[in-house]
Structures are given as structure tokens and as C-alpha cells.
Amino acid sequence: AVLVVMVVSHTLRISSSFRLHASLRAHLLKQLRMGTTRNDDHVGFPPLLGGDYCGLSATFDLQGKLVPIPERLIPERLLAWGQVPTALEVFVTESVMDVRLREWCRQTRTILPEIGCGVDHLQTMDQEIEVESFRLWQDDAIYQILYPSNSDDSWRLETIFGWKAPGHRVRISVELNEEKLELESLVLIHIERQISMSDDSIIPSELDAGTVHEHMGALLLDSYSFATSEMTTAMDRKHVYFPPNLTLCYTTTKDNALVIEFGQICPHLQIHQIVRRTFFSINDCSIETRTEPLDFPKEQA
């Protein structure tokens, strides 16, 4: 099967947001079912795609090291006080414009750091991506999307897991170079709470700190430092750890296929959920999932 995808539009602009951190211990509680497909297509939109979300985002390199927020986005007083956040607040709106044609739009409003918790007009970076066709795979509460990136000859592979409580998700994504069939240098991670399933966004055009905190909910308000949380269990060396309890492994096979594995560590279930996708080309790939047991350190057993 040949997948044809076209980016209809991509815009990035500055308009008119933030608050600072708290703490997180990422223990993932949901057990997910396993399955296997090849050259997969899923009809319709699953529950954790579509609607409005509020959450936090952070960027890492492929070795799992946190990439700092650019200083040009940080107020000088926060830099001077050493209070630079490790994650940024985001609002995300996803909509399906045409189910048959697989037209999909995601709007992301990234809130810039501000000083104080009562800011009335928060500053944001707004990004909109419209895709005429995309590939979506689902197995119970695990989703994976492949769609073109905003740079030439690059695709974004995103895996979504359920996170901690109903209506919450965690997204981990990487960019692939289509010609070289290799990963680019950064990993993006979002933890998010669904605040609406409506086709009409409820996110106001102007944001204030009170609105942001109200939509975040208890789990996210306690997760502002998730990007610096440490691994809560021992695991094999081939997988690189990313907070909150996510993993990534990638390699090239002898026949030049690119293999990428995204994982979610579930300490309370003592399992490691893994989604493995093998790319022979962008349009020829297979996907499978598996569960591996965890070996806990003695103090966590």
C-alpha cells in the first residue's frame, strides 16, 4: 500500500503566557493489550486523539538529556534568579476535517514563561499543522501516528500512551529523514489532559494564569518538574530512558531497515510496554507490540 501525504499549511507566529513548576513521580498504572499489524490503517479517531488538551512539553536529545528552553524565551529576571523552567505549558487542539480523506489539523499554543502567577495576558507561540492524509495505528490505549514534518523530506513518528488517569495522555515523538531513513536529533515529549472532546475548541483566544491552572488539573499541576524526574526502575541497556517513564531504542538492520521502539515503563505492574516499528521505507513498514518484565532494584521491590 502506498501512502500519499501532503502538507497543506504550516504557520508559526507569536501572539499573546506561564507559571512555574512543582514535582512528579511518574508511576504508570494502566495495563495495555498487545497486537500486531502490517501497513496498518485505523478507521476513525480514538478517544485520546481529537479535542482540546492542556499540558506540558519538554525536549530531549537522543541520549535522553534534557534540552534547555532557549534563553531568548525566558525573562531576564528568571534567568538571574536561576528559576528557568524545564518544561513549557501548552494548549493543543486536534480536529478531523474529513474522516474519509484523513484530513487532520493540530493547533499548538506554547505558553512562554512569565513572572508571577496572576498574569492576565500570557504570551504564546502558536503553531498550526494541517495534513491532508496521515497514517494512524491503534491498539487499545496505545496510538501511533506517522505524518509529514514541517521540514523537507522529514516525517514525524509519534506514539501516544495513556498516562496515570482517564483523559490523560503522554506523547513521545521523533523526526525521520525520509531519504536517509534515520532519526533526527531531538525527542519531543508532552504530558496532557483532555479538557474537551468537542469539534469546536473551548480554548480562549487570550489566556491568563488562572485559566491555565484551572485546565491543568491536579496531576499536571503536580508535574511541572516531570522533565527532570529520574528513572524509577532498572532496565536493559539498549533502551534510553526519558521521563516520565518512557523509553526509546533505535537501530538499523543488515538489510538497511530502520527499527524504532517506543516504550512505557509501568512500575506497579512490573512491565515494560513496547511498540516496535520497522521501516523498510516510509511507505513500507510493519508494527508490533510486546510486553517485557521489569527487574526492580531491591529498594523498590
Side-chain angles (χ1 to χ4, degrees), residues 98-115:
D98 189 312
V99 174
R100 183 179 62 85
L101 295 177
R102 315 286 288 184
E103 294 182 354
W104 173 58
C105 177
R106 174 183 281 165
Q107 298 172 311
T108 302
R109 303 184 68 187
T110 302
I111 301 172
L112 301 181
E114 292 283 0
I115 298 172

Side-chain angles (χ1 to χ4, degrees), residues 25 27 230-236 245 265-268 270-271 293-301:
R25 296 282 295 189
H27 295 291
E230 297 181 355
M231 184 168 56
T232 59
T233 182
M235 57 183 300
D236 61 81
N245 280 350
I265 300 170
C266 306
H268 291 170
Q270 301 187 22
I271 57 174
L294 288 177
D295 294 325
F296 281 80
K298 292 183 179 179
E299 63 269 19
Q300 297 191 28

Side-chain angles (χ1 to χ4, degrees), residues 4-186:
V4 179
V5 182
M6 178 176 67
V7 177
V8 178
S9 69
H10 174 270
T11 62
L12 179 65
R13 64 185 184 277
I14 299 291
S15 71
S16 21
S17 151
F18 184 80
R19 174 195 173 259
L20 291 179
H21 15 297
S23 62
L24 165 76
R25 296 282 295 189
H27 295 291
L28 304 175
L29 305 176
K30 185 172 178 62
Q31 186 170 12
L32 310 172
R33 294 198 300 269
M34 299 291 94
T36 301
T37 62
R38 181 175 176 86
N39 285 334
D40 38 72
D41 279 312
H42 178 73
V43 178
F45 243 54
L48 285 182
L49 284 174
D52 292 330
Y53 296 83
C54 180
L56 301 165
S57 71
T59 303
F60 301 81
D61 64 22
L62 292 174
Q63 288 71 47
K65 183 180 179 180
L66 179 67
V67 176
I69 297 171
E71 289 190 0
R72 59 183 171 81
L73 302 180
I74 310 296
E76 290 185 5
R77 278 188 287 176
L78 289 183
L79 291 172
W81 297 338
Q83 294 184 347
V84 177
T86 56
L88 293 175
E89 295 165 325
V90 295
F91 278 88
V92 176
T93 297
E94 296 169 343
S95 60
V96 182
M97 296 174 286
D98 189 312
V99 174
R100 183 179 62 85
L101 295 177
R102 315 286 288 184
E103 294 182 354
W104 173 58
C105 177
R106 174 183 281 165
Q107 298 172 311
T108 302
R109 303 184 68 187
T110 302
I111 301 172
L112 301 181
E114 292 283 0
I115 298 172
C117 57
V119 182
D120 292 330
H121 299 289
L122 299 173
Q123 208 175 37
T124 67
M125 289 191 304
D126 295 353
Q127 182 187 53
E128 181 177 86
I129 299 176
E130 293 185 8
V131 178
E132 188 176 85
S133 185
F134 63 97
R135 172 159 297 182
L136 170 66
W137 172 89
Q138 177 192 3
D139 183 59
D140 193 23
I142 306 177
Y143 317 112
Q144 195 168 86
I145 314 171
L146 179 65
Y147 60 94
S149 175
N150 57 334
S151 56
D152 294 338
D153 300 321
S154 291
W155 295 66
R156 182 157 292 277
L157 180 64
E158 178 176 299
T159 301
I160 303 174
F161 298 96
W163 183 68
K164 283 198 171 186
H168 291 70
R169 69 183 186 180
V170 56
R171 299 190 280 128
I172 177 172
S173 65
V174 295
E175 282 199 8
L176 313 177
N177 182 286
E178 179 177 5
E179 182 178 355
K180 297 179 180 179
L181 207 60
E182 63 183 21
L183 293 190
E184 304 291 350
S185 59
L186 298 179

Side-chain angles (χ1 to χ4, degrees), residues 230-285:
E230 297 181 355
M231 184 168 56
T232 59
T233 182
M235 57 183 300
D236 61 81
R237 294 183 178 180
K238 69 177 182 178
H239 289 90
V240 179
Y241 172 81
F242 295 85
N245 280 350
L246 300 173
T247 63
L248 172 65
C249 176
Y250 60 97
T251 187
T252 301
T253 65
K254 293 181 179 179
D255 54 356
N256 294 321
L258 174 63
V259 179
I260 304 174
E261 292 187 351
F262 294 103
Q264 183 184 47
I265 300 170
C266 306
H268 291 170
L269 298 172
Q270 301 187 22
I271 57 174
H272 184 195
Q273 304 278 3
I274 297 172
V275 182
R276 176 187 177 98
R277 186 178 282 256
T278 302
F279 287 93
F280 305 98
S281 70
I282 287 296
N283 297 321
D284 183 12
C285 53

